[in-house]
Amino acid sequence: MIDLRSDTVTRPTPDMRRAMAEAEVGDDVYGEDPTINALEEQVAGLLSHEAGLFCPSGSMTNMLGIAAQVPRGWEVLADHRAHILRAECGGHAALAGVTSRTWVSADGTFDAAQALSMVSRPRGYNQVGTAVISVENSHNFGGGRVADIEQLRTLHARTRELGVAVHVDGARIANAAAATGVGLGEYGALADSVSLCLSKGLGAPVGSVLVGSAELIAEARVLRKRYGGGMRQAGILAAAGLWALEHNLERLAEDNAAAARIARAIAEVDPAVVDPDTVDTNIVFIDLGPTGLDAQAYAAATEAAGVRVSVMDEDSVRIVTHLDVSAEDARRAGEILARSLAENA
Ligand SMILES: *Cc1c(COP(=O)(O)O)cnc(C)c1O
């Protein structure tokens, strides 16, 4: 079975498990876990920031990045399909009293002018002010699209003038960097906070890191404890993250290439359901609308043929390539996904 539901389905390899078993650990709530400290420092450095904070999940790093920068009752602006608004149980609102407004991007790409046009500067006591603009790069439910570096530069320059912070949900920022050749450091320098997942394409079993200024991370550290995310000898988990950065960062271009290959195979059979030119990274959305196929039925058919996909709504499915999908798997998956379209149309 080729499992393309998500890049979170990878399992730690024996080498990674060995690194975990041998990790030097301490009580991280006391700041005494050397492996966590090393991971936080390394990710902060990679993304051009002063400090990092290791958390159990990307939902928590996003939550803390936003909660540390948005006062209660203020707002975060984000894309209408943003993970922070669609897939994190409303945490920013439920836990931190943060409100939100969204812009609508047709194709998952980021338009700085569109986001900036929504910034609200409160004039009366009743108006909600914008504290943070959140950009997801790459954009998961936007089809894995990458935010253009020029748009990010414009956003960075203009938000400095406006006194608004930029948070990047960079769960897959390393896939974006692999696709564009823009360095992680360059992406990081254009944001006030960045959340990076170790448990997606990098293949670690657990963990995400939030980076920002020393001051921001100190505040986020307090909030992490408040939300119950203070862990003890979690260097065992951080060791998997360090191992992943060392061994799995450089290979992300392969996942992007595998996704492109699958998209091309499908488009050859039906160009209406996917446009390979819009596949920037390791995510492909198949729009079944033009075929009249029901997404559940299509997913059942591909699964019977050996490929698992994620049903996103009635007429679209998502596939995500990852560490455990070889080039040969990608070839076979493309064939099966294309054939299942033709056979069930
Ligand atoms: C996976 C993901 C996250 C974090 O998810 P967790 O399951 O909480 O680790 C955040 N943002 C995006 C875009 C993601 O894809």
Side-chain angles (χ1 to χ4, degrees), residues 231-254:
M231 299 184 287
R232 304 294 176 173
Q233 288 74 22
I236 286 179
L237 304 175
L242 282 168
W243 197 95
L245 288 170
E246 192 182 332
H247 297 91
N248 296 341
L249 189 57
E250 295 298 327
R251 60 158 302 286
L252 288 174
E254 295 171 31

Side-chain angles (χ1 to χ4, degrees), residues 14-308:
D15 282 351
M16 183 185 275
R17 286 172 185 260
R18 202 165 304 118
M20 296 172 75
E22 290 168 3
E24 209 185 315
V25 297
D27 190 331
D28 182 54
V29 172
Y30 294 165
E32 291 174 1
D33 189 302
T35 308
I36 291 182
N37 293 342
L39 175 67
E40 291 177 345
E41 200 177 305
Q42 185 169 330
V43 177
L46 268 176
L47 289 160
S48 315
H49 279 272
E50 279 177 351
L53 184 67
F54 182 57
C55 290
S57 70
S59 296
M60 186 176 273
T61 45
N62 279 332
M63 175 71 211
L64 300 184
I66 289 165
Q69 298 181 96
V70 187
R72 293 187 78 81
W74 285 56
E75 71 182 3
V76 58
L77 303 179
D79 185 271
H80 72 301
R81 285 181 288 216
H83 194 279
I84 59 162
L85 306 182
R86 297 294 303 280
E88 296 178 11
C89 306
H92 60 285
L95 303 176
V98 170
T99 70
S100 56
R101 277 185 304 139
T102 55
W103 65 80
V104 177
S105 74
D107 62 1
T109 58
F110 175 66
D111 179 348
Q114 185 182 28
L116 287 161
S117 75
M118 293 179 60
V119 168
S120 159
R121 318 302 300 161
R123 283 181 300 274
Y125 71 90
N126 56 345
Q127 285 190 329
V128 175
T130 307
V132 166
I133 294 177
S134 181
V135 181
E136 193 172 311
N137 195 17
S138 63
H139 189 348
N140 183 345
F141 303 135
R145 300 308 299 269
V146 170
D148 181 71
I149 189 72
E150 286 308 327
Q151 297 295 323
L152 295 173
R153 287 199 183 109
T154 301
L155 180 74
H156 180 253
R158 192 70 188 108
T159 47
R160 297 311 86 176
E161 295 164 4
L162 293 165
V164 169
V166 173
H167 173 72
V168 168
D169 177 354
R172 297 185 183 82
I173 188 98
N175 284 87
T180 58
V182 173
L184 283 172
E186 200 173 345
Y187 280 128
L190 296 172
D192 298 279
S193 54
V194 183
S195 157
L196 168 114
C197 283
L198 300 161
S199 57
K200 301 279 168 79
L202 290 169
V206 180
S208 287
V209 179
L210 177 72
V211 303
S213 67
E215 194 185 355
L216 175 81
I217 294 302
E219 170 67 13
R221 201 175 284 280
V222 172
L223 294 172
R224 184 185 65 173
K225 191 76 176 76
R226 180 174 295 157
Y227 295 141
M231 299 184 287
R232 304 294 176 173
Q233 288 74 22
I236 286 179
L237 304 175
L242 282 168
W243 197 95
L245 288 170
E246 192 182 332
H247 297 91
N248 296 341
L249 189 57
E250 295 298 327
R251 60 158 302 286
L252 288 174
E254 295 171 31
D255 294 346
N256 294 346
R261 173 172 202 166
I262 294 171
R264 284 194 305 270
I266 298 168
E268 256 172 47
V269 169
D270 189 345
V273 301
V274 62
D275 175 0
D277 289 343
T278 66
V279 176
D280 293 341
T281 56
N282 67 328
I283 296 177
V284 182
F285 271 69
I286 305 172
D287 173 15
L288 297 166
T291 68
L293 269 172
D294 170 67
Q296 291 286 2
Y298 178 68
T302 67
E303 178 149 355
V307 178
R308 277 194 169 156

